[in-house]
Amino acid sequence: DYDRVIITDLAINEELLEMIKSCKNPEKIRVFDHHKCDLKNLPENVIITKDSPIYPGKLTCATELYFNFILNDPIFDLVRIRGNVKAIAYFVECVRVYDTFEFWKTRNDPENTQYESYVDAPRLNTLFHILEREDFKQYIYNYLLNEGRNLTHSNAKYPYITEILALEANKNTRYVEAALRRLIKTDLCCTVWRDSKPHKLNYHIGIIFAEKNGPVIGNTACENNPELDFCAVVSNNQVSLYTNKENMDVSSIAKLFGGGGHEEAAGLTIPYINANVYSLN
């Protein structure tokens, strides 16, 4: 009954692709994703790429791919009338910079200080976790009404945002430092059966239990311990994998456990029925 169905940020597999092709009106569906995909000959309505359509040579995210699509869509004319395109585009860029972790990877590059989005992106992510989802949506709506000013700084309606984010930045720094001290180094040597095939794993890994700041913790652990093939950050039954090795693809490991993601960052979920205490030798 919908005029259009948009699927974003969901790793596409053969099962999902077949569901799209076999539905009643597949032409109504649009898929935008930036995760690793080995499928070939994808239909035109399934757009999967890791390259930014707006900034050549940079990585993209699903938010940017969708934004690039609606820029040429008639429904977006309603937004153009209000004159908020630049404000929305900057918000989208902050999401891209954080989602691709570009702000972190280039933090030692002296040129990155000229990009305001590199400062706003992590602050915006912190703000998202401070506020409830509906409050965050209202905050962004207010930012758009304010013509794109003060995305992560105090304003008339939110006079204490700057101070709160400064306090949270200090708390996050201490949290990351404490989490890194809990790093466990071990060997992951086992055989995983997937699709009736054995997959032998033989890696030297790091494990850290942390409920937040996973990307920073995981990447820092890999940088500080170059002997590690990758680092696993565990939060409840969610496991995030990070690596800085060029010849390492953690998405392939995550897929063995029903997850997925990118070569340098991926994730998986451990079903609670299997979430017992494991011993790695």
Side-chain angles (χ1 to χ4, degrees):
D1 297 328
Y2 293 104
D3 295 320
R4 183 180 294 145
V5 176
I6 305 294
I7 303 174
T8 67
D9 210 31
L10 181 65
I12 305 299
N13 55 30
E14 293 182 1
E15 181 182 8
L16 180 57
L17 189 60
E18 185 59 35
M19 290 173 62
I20 294 174
K21 290 180 179 179
S22 61
C23 71
K24 185 177 181 181
N25 298 298
E27 70 279 358
K28 290 184 176 183
I29 298 177
R30 293 290 186 276
V31 177
F32 301 98
D33 187 55
H34 65 134
H35 295 93
K36 183 180 178 181
C37 179
D38 297 323
L39 300 178
K40 307 297 182 182
N41 301 318
L42 295 172
E44 292 183 357
N45 61 333
V46 178
I47 306 299
I48 301 179
T49 178
K50 65 179 182 179
D51 301 319
S52 171
I54 300 176
Y55 301 98
K58 295 189 175 184
L59 297 175
T60 190
C61 68
T63 300
E64 184 189 51
L65 291 174
Y66 177 57
F67 176 65
N68 185 62
F69 166 71
I70 63 174
L71 279 175
N72 302 305
D73 192 270
I75 196 172
F76 200 64
D77 289 338
L78 298 174
V79 181
R80 296 182 195 279
I81 295 174
R82 302 194 61 158
N84 291 332
V85 178
K86 288 185 177 180
I88 297 175
Y90 181 70
F91 171 77
V92 170
E93 171 61 359
C94 287
V95 174
R96 185 195 71 80
V97 165
Y98 190 86
D99 198 39
T100 62
F101 224 48
E102 184 177 306
F103 79 97
W104 176 264
K105 297 175 182 176
T106 61
R107 66 191 185 283
N108 295 322
D109 185 348
E111 291 188 0
N112 78 352
T113 56
Q114 65 180 307
Y115 300 114
E116 188 176 0
S117 60
Y118 284 17
V119 176
D120 278 339
R123 289 165 59 89
L124 190 63
N125 184 71
T126 299
L127 189 61
F128 174 76
H129 289 285
I130 292 176
L131 300 175
E132 296 290 339
R133 182 178 293 269
E134 291 301 318
D135 290 337
F136 182 80
K137 287 166 60 177
Q138 186 60 42
Y139 180 90
I140 297 302
Y141 182 64
N142 181 73
Y143 155 78
L144 296 176
L145 292 180
N146 201 29
E147 299 178 348
R149 294 192 294 269
N150 301 322
L151 178 57
T152 64
H153 296 82
S154 298
N155 54 60
K157 190 169 184 179
Y158 300 90
Y160 304 111
I161 290 299
T162 301
E163 290 80 1
I164 291 174
L165 287 176
L167 292 172
E168 285 296 315
N170 291 330
K171 286 173 56 179
N172 288 337
T173 298
R174 294 194 298 271
Y175 184 87
V176 170
E177 292 173 349
L180 291 171
R181 290 195 292 269
R182 299 194 298 269
L183 173 67
I184 301 171
K185 298 180 183 180
T186 186
D187 292 321
L188 176 61
C189 302
C190 62
T191 299
V192 179
W193 286 82
R194 187 76 179 181
D195 299 326
S196 301
K197 296 179 180 179
H199 301 268
K200 292 185 177 181
L201 303 181
N202 186 12
Y203 299 104
H204 186 55
I205 70 172
I207 301 175
I208 299 178
F209 292 86
E211 296 181 355
K212 62 179 183 177
N213 299 105
V216 174
I217 292 171
N219 282 279
T220 304
C222 290
E223 291 176 358
N224 294 347
N225 302 273
E227 74 278 11
L228 297 178
D229 293 310
F230 64 88
C231 181
V233 179
V234 183
S235 175
N236 202 355
N237 69 325
Q238 304 294 316
V239 182
S240 300
L241 310 179
Y242 302 95
T243 185
N244 61 353
K245 297 287 193 298
E246 293 185 0
N247 60 343
M248 189 75 215
D249 179 4
V250 291
S251 70
S252 62
I253 298 175
K255 286 180 180 179
L256 294 177
F257 298 93
H262 309 282
E263 288 91 338
E264 72 283 356
L268 58 105
T269 300
I270 300 176
Y272 280 109
I273 193 173
N274 297 329
N276 299 316
V277 178
Y278 288 87
S279 176
L280 299 176
N281 298 318

